Amino acid sequence: MGVFSKRNDVEEPGGGGSGLHVDLDERWCPQCRRSLLPWQDTCPTDGAQPVRSLPPAMPPPPAHLLADDDDAPPE
């Protein structure tokens, strides 16, 4: 979407935009999460079938949240 000028509402090219990039040929490996080229039918690293979108990557939970409460030192 461009920016409209005050002169007769003419749209000026390159005057703005959201910066949104859409490429319909982008595909990723669901296991190693690497970007694959449009002609690759399988991931060269692990052989998985490519997908068009990936869920957001979540880091592992911190160690103090995984520890059992009974093992914690008394405060």
Side-chain angles (χ1 to χ4, degrees):
M1 179 179 201
V3 176
F4 290 96
S5 69
K6 292 183 180 180
R7 298 169 294 177
N8 299 329
D9 289 319
V10 177
E11 187 173 344
E12 297 175 2
S18 65
L20 179 65
H21 172 75
V22 176
D23 188 356
L24 299 177
D25 289 336
E26 288 183 325
R27 300 185 308 168
W28 293 270
C29 174
Q31 291 181 2
C32 66
R33 303 182 73 84
R34 82 182 258 185
S35 176
L36 299 175
L37 299 171
W39 59 83
Q40 291 177 311
D41 293 332
T42 59
C43 177
T45 305
D46 50 36
Q49 295 294 319
V51 294
R52 297 233 180 249
S53 64
L54 290 174
M58 293 187 61
H64 72 277
L65 295 178
L66 295 176
D68 191 12
D69 290 339
D70 295 333
D71 296 337
E75 294 182 11

